[in-house]
Amino acid sequence: MPLRNEEPSPGALPHARLIDALVRSLVPVRRPGSPLRRMLGWLVVVAFPGAGLAAVADLKGALSRHAGDPDLVLAAVGSIATAVTAAAAAILATLPDRDPRWALLPAPSLALWIGASVSGAGAAHGAPISLSDACACVGFILGLGVPFALLLAAILRNGYALHPSLSGGLAGLAAASAAASVLGLFHPFAMALNDLALHALAVALLAGAGAGFGRRLLRASA
Amino acid sequence: MPVRPAALSGEAALSAAMQAAQIGDAAAYRALLRDCVPVISAMARARGVQGAALDDVVQDTLLTLHRARATYDPARPFLPWLRAITQRRAVDALRRKGRRPQEVHEPLAYEARADDGPMPGDDLARCERATILAAAVAHLPEGQREAIEHIALRELSLEETSTLTGRTKGALKVNFHRGLKALRASLSSRKEGTDA
């Protein structure tokens, strides 16, 4: 497959005009940083508001609640791992030559998060909480998750998403998981089924919005 | 010392050309795009794309390659990167084709369905129509011709056409409508002349 600078191949002739146009619009481009560096960059920026909120949270109370309930610990580990792996999968999905199966990376941690949360909420101590408290949780996840998701979308725009809905959905999941992880510090009541359902709704809303707006957000600059 | 693409062969040459294109080497980019065309055609054909859709997939893939060129990592092989893009565009083309309604469950409709294949003389007629249209388009002023070619004939979006031509969307819309009007006038006057 030698490169021929002089004579175009016969198959290229019908596309000569497009090739000319593309060559005319060629400008130097800067390659995006490594996926690991981009993911760490997002995590560091996300950690700032997380650390700020942790400073005003009742950390001692949160730790004692987690110490008394292994399901809470597993759910927290699951949500943090989901945020990390979903962000990594979203970034890898913007590199065309990476295996699309990387999109399954957050599946195990998501399963752990859901399993531990359901197990905790199903336990005897999981009495329903008031609707206003549950709605406050949803507001917290959405309020913190939307800027997290927009930040990740800005990072993803350095790449090129062949499946923008998938990348957007993963970005939404990562942002919602990160927000839910921070929420764990401010959650002064045991998990209840209605609370869990609204948490799941908030996560699904963010992931769904990411998938729905993925094309618009990730292709706008393309 | 930069590697000259022509001194290499096969995938290494494509990779070197893409690396040169990333820093703005237009000659290497032109050669790369030309050499990618048969490769893309073969990859798309292997995915089951045939006929006129093949050219569409090649053009879509070239456009995507252009937009995604920053994501190519020279430390990795070039062809898997190109193949991933081509396969995605091929799947898009096959889906578009699959969305066209076709009745297959109604026996009468099935029996009465006209053969999709070309009728005798179709190629000649199509060739003649294409020649007439190409001549009419070629006579348009440059701005109108570009708008008609990219938006109507190649079915690119306004945004894509704007990127390719460097014209604003507003200017493209105006040129497109003026071009259509001029084409309509030119082709209808020709038809009237033939009828007479």
Side-chain angles (χ1 to χ4, degrees):
Chain A
M1 195 181 315
L3 287 176
R4 293 171 293 272
N5 288 309
E6 316 81 27
E7 289 296 320
S9 64
L13 283 174
H15 310 290
R17 201 179 289 262
L18 174 64
I19 290 174
D20 284 345
L22 293 178
V23 171
R24 271 202 308 276
S25 61
L26 180 72
V27 287
V29 286
R30 207 178 56 167
R31 289 204 305 275
S34 78
L36 180 66
R37 200 190 312 163
R38 287 196 284 158
M39 185 195 70
L40 290 176
W42 180 73
L43 286 174
V44 165
V45 177
V46 162
F48 272 116
L53 289 169
V56 297
D58 176 18
L59 273 183
K60 205 175 279 181
L63 285 175
S64 66
R65 277 196 308 278
H66 281 75
D69 190 345
D71 285 332
L72 265 183
V73 177
L74 283 178
V77 169
S79 67
I80 293 169
T82 302
V84 173
T85 52
I91 290 169
L92 287 172
T94 60
L95 301 172
D97 54 350
R98 302 306 164 98
D99 194 325
R101 282 174 292 186
W102 277 111
L104 296 173
L105 190 63
S109 48
L110 185 61
L112 172 69
W113 184 17
I114 294 172
S117 301
V118 171
S119 164
H125 59 268
I129 65 169
S130 72
L131 193 60
S132 62
D133 282 340
C135 287
C137 293
V138 173
F140 187 97
I141 292 176
L142 293 180
L144 207 54
V146 168
F148 286 176
L150 291 176
L151 176 66
L152 188 51
I155 291 171
L156 296 182
R157 278 164 63 114
N158 291 330
Y160 185 90
L162 280 180
H163 307 267
S165 299
L166 176 66
S167 303
L170 286 167
L173 176 63
S177 313
S181 303
V182 178
L183 174 65
L185 302 171
F186 297 91
H187 210 248
F189 21 78
M191 277 184 281
L193 279 174
N194 64 339
D195 186 30
L196 182 61
L198 283 175
H199 281 205
L201 176 70
V203 173
L205 270 176
L206 267 179
F213 291 109
R215 188 172 293 274
R216 194 171 295 175
L217 281 174
L218 303 180
R219 288 277 172 81
S221 65
Chain B
M1 195 177 81
V3 181
R4 286 176 57 228
L8 302 169
S9 63
E11 188 163 7
L14 293 173
S15 177
M18 189 68 201
Q19 204 173 341
Q22 286 178 329
I23 55 173
D25 183 338
Y29 191 45
R30 183 184 299 278
L32 170 79
L33 293 178
R34 284 174 178 172
D35 281 356
C36 279
V37 168
V39 181
I40 295 167
S41 289
M43 287 173 173
R45 219 176 283 122
R47 290 290 295 195
V49 180
Q50 292 170 338
L54 204 56
D55 277 345
D56 292 345
V57 171
V58 171
Q59 300 223 341
D60 283 350
T61 305
L62 289 175
L63 275 170
T64 307
L65 182 154
H66 181 74
R67 290 191 205 116
R69 66 190 186 281
T71 65
Y72 172 64
D73 179 357
R76 299 170 71 89
F78 177 78
L79 288 179
W81 183 82
L82 181 64
R83 185 176 295 114
I85 293 174
T86 306
Q87 287 182 346
R88 184 64 211 164
R89 293 297 162 246
V91 168
D92 288 345
L94 292 172
R95 278 189 185 150
R96 276 198 300 271
K97 190 180 171 193
R99 275 200 287 268
R100 287 178 199 145
Q102 287 187 340
E103 182 57 73
V104 291
H105 300 299
E106 192 65 45
L108 279 176
Y110 183 77
E111 291 294 331
R113 181 181 163 79
D115 189 352
D116 283 338
M119 298 286 284
D122 270 6
D123 279 351
L124 199 61
R126 190 166 53 239
C127 191
E128 193 181 352
R129 280 200 302 274
T131 309
I132 293 168
L133 182 63
V137 171
H139 278 94
L140 293 174
E142 191 188 350
Q144 294 177 17
R145 181 170 51 75
E146 280 184 348
I148 293 290
E149 280 178 352
H150 291 307
I151 300 169
L153 301 182
R154 288 182 33 222
E155 297 181 359
L156 298 185
S157 67
L158 272 174
E159 196 173 339
E160 290 167 336
T161 309
S162 172
T163 309
L164 281 176
T165 60
R167 296 178 198 276
T168 63
K169 289 184 191 172
L172 284 171
K173 281 183 193 170
V174 171
N175 278 329
F176 180 68
H177 288 295
R178 285 183 181 163
L180 277 185
K181 201 173 165 186
L183 273 183
R184 200 174 293 128
S186 153
L187 294 174
S188 61
S189 67
R190 181 188 169 84
K191 188 169 183 291
E192 280 163 16
T194 312
D195 291 346

